[in-house]
Amino acid sequence: MRSRGEGSVAIVAAVAVALSGCELVRGVDPLEAHPDVVVVLGMLVAGEREARILASHPHRLEFEPKPQVTATLQGPGWTADFTEDLPLVDCFDVGGNWHAPSKCIGAILPEQIGAGVTYGLSGTAPLGSFSGQATMPMGPELVHPAFALGIPAQDEWGPVDVPLSYRVEADAGMVLADVGEIFELQLDGTKEALSDVGYREFPKVLASFEADTISVFQRRKPLRFVVTVLTVGWTYVNFAEFHGIDPLPSPWPDFGLTGEGVFGYFAGKTPSRPIEVHVGPFDNPDVVDPEDP
């Protein structure tokens, strides 16, 4: 399926919207759509010990009651119920912000989500039951940068390019880059944590399954941040590509989730090991010239 993923340019905007925490807009629905229909969106993250799903009533007004759902995750030899009521912001990377009655629920797991492992999801909603299955993609192997990367400081405010190259398996439907733990070195030597407000373009969909360049903004002060490359499973990519298309083309793509009065997806994403990047002199890291092989 790799060639299809590389050519699906049209899905990039939809995926970037959903994974960056903005509103994931559903297409126009028939006026007679049942008010108890529920959207269930699940994105497992390898390395985490909590699973989260977002449930919404897309045909109800925002102030109306939230959906009544139960859900259980099945792992290798264990199950975990979704009993934790979480702030909606905790589900922004699952499916964005719905202007509809929504709830984010979580399950504490007995072990970390593992790359290459298959997980099951089952539950109930007002109109019936639902179930799903997701196999976690294998994580990317970073080729460059392979360890702490030092980039010369810039003379003016502006973007700093960070070249990335990586290897991914065929189970990757998409590759993302994320930036976090952003600190700026002040003139008095203190290190100020920067908010993510100026970095809303992340996570960013990378244009290639092999290499791409991201840009991070610098204000003429030494900067330190962490870059992670992530693979996303095909079930989510299929959902993003066909979301809102009615009727769906046959054969229907796999969204990883089916149910009575339920639609949505169940998928996984797997991060690489994090790479620390320094722009300018910041704690004297092992400096590598980005132009070196």
Side-chain angles (χ1 to χ4, degrees), residues 234-252:
W234 275 103
T235 51
Y236 176 77
V237 176
N238 289 337
F239 178 82
E241 181 172 3
F242 290 101
H243 187 67
I245 297 177
D246 187 18
L248 286 175
S250 182
W252 283 22

Side-chain angles (χ1 to χ4, degrees), residues 214-226:
I214 62 172
S215 296
V216 175
F217 192 81
Q218 186 201 19
R219 304 186 299 184
R220 287 196 302 180
K221 296 177 182 177
L223 198 63
R224 182 184 70 197
F225 52 90
V226 171

Side-chain angles (χ1 to χ4, degrees), residues 23-261:
E23 183 181 2
L24 180 60
V25 179
R26 175 161 169 77
V28 177
D29 294 295
L31 295 177
E32 66 271 22
H34 199 292
D36 285 337
V37 164
V38 175
V39 177
V40 174
L41 305 178
M43 177 70 80
L44 302 178
V45 182
E48 293 192 355
R49 290 194 61 172
E50 182 181 56
R52 297 173 297 279
I53 60 176
L54 179 70
S56 301
H57 275 312
H59 309 306
R60 290 186 178 274
L61 299 177
E62 193 168 3
F63 59 82
E64 293 186 90
K66 298 177 181 180
Q68 297 297 310
V69 298
T70 66
T72 300
L73 185 71
Q74 295 92 40
W78 53 262
T79 61
D81 295 330
F82 286 82
T83 57
E84 303 286 323
D85 287 323
L86 304 173
L88 277 179
V89 67
D90 287 358
C91 277
F92 273 13
D93 66 340
V94 173
N97 179 25
W98 287 68
H99 296 296
S102 303
K103 66 190 302 183
C104 178
I105 55 177
I108 304 301
L109 313 180
E111 62 184 12
Q112 293 182 347
I113 296 291
V117 179
T118 298
Y119 296 89
L121 180 68
S122 60
T124 61
L127 297 180
S129 61
F130 62 89
S131 62
Q133 182 173 287
T135 299
M136 300 295 295
M138 300 303 293
E141 178 187 353
L142 283 174
V143 178
H144 179 78
F147 51 92
L149 175 64
I151 298 176
Q154 309 298 297
D155 294 331
E156 302 292 338
W157 288 35
V160 175
D161 288 341
V162 181
L164 301 171
S165 59
Y166 37 84
R167 285 189 286 265
V168 300
E169 302 294 334
D171 59 4
M174 177 172 299
V175 186
L176 305 173
D178 202 4
V179 171
E181 301 180 36
I182 309 159
F183 287 85
E184 187 179 68
L185 186 64
Q186 305 303 309
L187 295 178
D188 62 2
T190 59
K191 299 162 187 174
E192 179 182 336
L194 302 185
S195 72
D196 293 335
V197 172
Y199 301 88
R200 286 178 176 168
E201 66 177 288
F202 294 101
K204 176 182 176 63
V205 180
L206 299 178
S208 165
F209 283 88
E210 296 178 354
D212 202 352
T213 297
I214 62 172
S215 296
V216 175
F217 192 81
Q218 186 201 19
R219 304 186 299 184
R220 287 196 302 180
K221 296 177 182 177
L223 198 63
R224 182 184 70 197
F225 52 90
V226 171
V227 176
T228 307
V229 177
L230 306 97
T231 49
V232 183
W234 275 103
T235 51
Y236 176 77
V237 176
N238 289 337
F239 178 82
E241 181 172 3
F242 290 101
H243 187 67
I245 297 177
D246 187 18
L248 286 175
S250 182
W252 283 22
D254 178 15
F255 302 150
L257 185 143
T258 58
E260 304 167 58

